[in-house]
Amino acid sequence: MAHEEHAQPASLDRPPALSPAAAALAARCEPRVDELARRMARGVFEQLRGYAELPGDVKDVEIAATARHAMRLFLRGAAEGSGWDSLEYFQERAAQRAEEGMPLHLLLRTDNLGARELWRALREVAGPGEQQALAELAEALFTAADHVVGAVAESYLDERVAPAAERHEQRRSRARALLDGRPVVDGAAPDGPVLVLFLRFGTSAATGEPSPVTVRRLLRRVQAVEWSNPRAGSGSCWGRRWGRSYGWRPLPRRRPATSRAPRT
């Protein structure tokens, strides 16, 4: 009795092992990579909100090159039986897009749409009787796309969050120095007057101190009110010290009084 060969199931950390039929199908699709990359960069991705505003060289060169690299990496890996664990290229491009200010949702959606277009190309190339090979490649494509999207999102957020976290820590350090009466050594001192608030919330009947969850919830409400004030200065900072919550922000500069001509 003949037994049909099936690919071994994939784990979350590695791609599935593909059958010779699936590898052959991937190899037949590889010559279409350049055509697919051009179609994605100048056609498919145009439906994404915000994509049309990107510079032309970003679309035609960088995004097309990333799509081309991703498809070729996947198809060659499937055809030759090698893995596609090399994600440094995508991580570097994600960090570059973050530095340029490209929205994360746009970056991730181009990756997802690229995987969808590659799947459609595989379906077009597949012939009769290759349904099982298509199913294997679909599972492999989902696994590869998951790895790429995860690496892209992580690198993008690292590039965007690190500078913001550093600035926030500098503001907190300045606030602590002001409260302690010490000179500001971590960055420049605030330029102009600064408003410092000390807040003490209601105590708990059981412990005599407010619970951490209660303090965080109340602090968020105070922050929401402060941030919603259009007259508030930028660079606000909030934190906890000595068991109490504090906040500080630069006060808006007053406009110099203008002299008015006496009425006649």
Side-chain angles (χ1 to χ4, degrees):
M1 181 178 179
H3 295 278
E4 184 179 1
E5 293 185 359
H6 294 278
Q8 297 178 357
S11 69
L12 293 177
D13 298 325
R14 62 176 177 82
L18 298 177
S19 66
L25 177 56
R28 296 205 312 271
C29 191
E30 186 180 351
R32 300 187 57 186
V33 163
D34 290 338
E35 170 198 348
L36 289 172
R38 287 192 297 268
R39 189 172 73 185
M40 290 178 189
R42 274 300 181 179
V44 177
F45 294 161
E46 293 288 349
Q47 62 185 287
L48 298 177
R49 177 172 54 87
Y51 185 83
E53 287 74 26
L54 295 178
D57 59 333
V58 173
K59 299 178 186 178
D60 297 333
V61 179
E62 299 184 19
I63 291 182
T66 302
R68 188 181 304 112
H69 177 80
M71 288 186 290
R72 187 164 285 123
L73 184 67
F74 171 78
L75 293 173
R76 286 184 179 176
E80 300 171 1
S82 58
W84 43 82
D85 297 329
S86 179
L87 301 175
E88 290 83 1
Y89 180 90
F90 305 106
Q91 292 170 323
E92 292 174 0
R93 289 294 178 268
Q96 182 180 353
R97 298 286 88 80
E99 185 180 1
E100 295 170 351
M102 182 176 181
L104 178 59
H105 75 85
L106 183 57
L107 181 61
L108 296 181
R109 292 195 68 191
T110 56
D111 291 336
N112 289 332
L113 270 181
R116 185 192 305 175
E117 287 302 306
L118 179 56
W119 165 242
R120 289 175 176 172
L122 287 168
R123 290 172 54 190
E124 293 173 0
V125 172
E130 291 189 307
Q131 291 82 359
Q132 179 60 33
L134 271 176
E136 294 177 31
L137 287 172
E139 184 178 0
L141 185 57
F142 292 152
T143 303
D146 179 67
H147 289 179
V148 170
V149 168
V152 165
E154 183 178 6
S155 296
Y156 182 100
L157 293 176
D158 285 345
E159 184 68 24
R160 294 295 295 268
V161 170
E166 183 178 353
R167 290 192 298 269
H168 182 70
E169 183 57 33
Q170 287 180 349
R171 291 196 296 267
R172 293 185 63 183
S173 177
R174 295 173 192 172
R176 287 193 292 266
L178 290 171
L179 295 174
D180 292 342
R182 295 181 286 103
V184 177
V185 295
D186 185 10
D191 182 16
V194 174
L195 174 65
V196 180
L197 301 178
F198 257 101
L199 305 177
R200 183 175 181 85
F201 301 112
T203 59
S204 169
T207 63
E209 291 291 335
S211 69
V213 175
T214 301
V215 171
R216 284 194 293 269
R217 289 174 61 87
L218 292 173
L219 189 57
R220 289 195 191 99
R221 294 179 184 177
V222 174
Q223 288 174 318
V225 173
E226 196 270 342
W227 288 337
S228 65
N229 183 2
R231 299 179 60 186
S234 60
S236 302
C237 176
W238 294 86
R240 283 182 57 78
R241 190 160 176 82
W242 306 317
R244 295 176 175 85
S245 298
Y246 68 83
W248 75 278
R249 64 174 173 84
L251 293 177
R253 293 181 178 274
R254 294 184 178 180
R255 295 181 179 178
T258 57
S259 59
R260 296 182 179 179
R263 295 182 179 179
T264 58

Short mmCIF file of all heavy atoms in Angstrom, two decimals, residues 14 16 100 104 117 154 157 192 221 228:
data_model
loop_
_atom_site.label_atom_id
_atom_site.label_comp_id
_atom_site.label_asym_id
_atom_site.label_seq_id
_atom_site.Cartn_x
_atom_site.Cartn_y
_atom_site.Cartn_z
N ARG A 14 10.94 27.22 14.02
CA ARG A 14 11.63 26.77 12.82
C ARG A 14 10.62 26.54 11.71
O ARG A 14 9.46 26.21 11.96
CB ARG A 14 12.41 25.48 13.09
CG ARG A 14 11.54 24.31 13.49
CD ARG A 14 12.35 23.03 13.65
NE ARG A 14 11.52 21.93 14.10
CZ ARG A 14 10.77 21.18 13.29
NH1 ARG A 14 10.72 21.45 12.00
NH2 ARG A 14 10.04 20.18 13.78
N PRO A 16 8.78 24.61 8.48
CA PRO A 16 8.52 23.19 8.24
C PRO A 16 9.45 22.62 7.19
O PRO A 16 9.96 23.33 6.33
CB PRO A 16 7.07 23.19 7.75
CG PRO A 16 6.89 24.54 7.12
CD PRO A 16 7.74 25.48 7.93
N GLU A 100 13.63 57.58 9.87
CA GLU A 100 13.06 58.49 8.88
C GLU A 100 11.64 58.92 9.23
O GLU A 100 11.10 59.81 8.59
CB GLU A 100 13.06 57.81 7.51
CG GLU A 100 14.46 57.55 6.97
CD GLU A 100 14.44 56.67 5.73
OE1 GLU A 100 13.35 56.13 5.41
OE2 GLU A 100 15.49 56.51 5.09
N LEU A 104 4.85 52.85 11.83
CA LEU A 104 5.03 51.41 12.01
C LEU A 104 3.94 50.62 11.32
O LEU A 104 4.20 49.57 10.73
CB LEU A 104 5.07 51.07 13.51
CG LEU A 104 5.22 49.59 13.86
CD1 LEU A 104 6.49 49.00 13.27
CD2 LEU A 104 5.19 49.40 15.37
N GLU A 117 0.99 38.75 -1.69
CA GLU A 117 1.24 38.75 -3.12
C GLU A 117 2.11 37.57 -3.53
O GLU A 117 1.93 36.99 -4.61
CB GLU A 117 1.91 40.06 -3.53
CG GLU A 117 0.97 41.25 -3.51
CD GLU A 117 -0.23 41.05 -4.41
OE1 GLU A 117 -0.05 40.75 -5.61
OE2 GLU A 117 -1.37 41.17 -3.91
N GLU A 154 10.28 44.77 16.47
CA GLU A 154 11.20 44.93 17.60
C GLU A 154 12.28 45.96 17.29
O GLU A 154 12.58 46.84 18.11
CB GLU A 154 11.84 43.59 17.95
CG GLU A 154 12.76 43.64 19.15
CD GLU A 154 13.35 42.28 19.50
OE1 GLU A 154 13.13 41.33 18.73
OE2 GLU A 154 14.02 42.18 20.54
N LEU A 157 10.74 49.56 17.13
CA LEU A 157 10.43 50.12 18.45
C LEU A 157 11.68 50.43 19.24
O LEU A 157 11.73 51.43 19.97
CB LEU A 157 9.53 49.15 19.22
CG LEU A 157 8.13 48.96 18.63
CD1 LEU A 157 7.37 47.90 19.41
CD2 LEU A 157 7.35 50.27 18.63
N GLY A 192 14.08 78.76 32.34
CA GLY A 192 12.92 79.51 32.80
C GLY A 192 12.30 78.89 34.03
O GLY A 192 12.79 77.90 34.58
N ARG A 221 -4.83 59.88 35.76
CA ARG A 221 -5.88 60.88 35.61
C ARG A 221 -5.32 62.30 35.70
O ARG A 221 -5.71 63.19 34.94
CB ARG A 221 -6.95 60.67 36.69
CG ARG A 221 -7.72 59.36 36.55
CD ARG A 221 -8.73 59.20 37.66
NE ARG A 221 -9.41 57.92 37.58
CZ ARG A 221 -10.31 57.50 38.46
NH1 ARG A 221 -10.62 58.27 39.50
NH2 ARG A 221 -10.88 56.32 38.33
N SER A 228 -3.98 67.56 28.68
CA SER A 228 -5.08 68.09 27.87
C SER A 228 -5.14 69.61 27.90
O SER A 228 -5.91 70.22 27.16
CB SER A 228 -6.41 67.52 28.35
OG SER A 228 -6.70 67.98 29.67
#
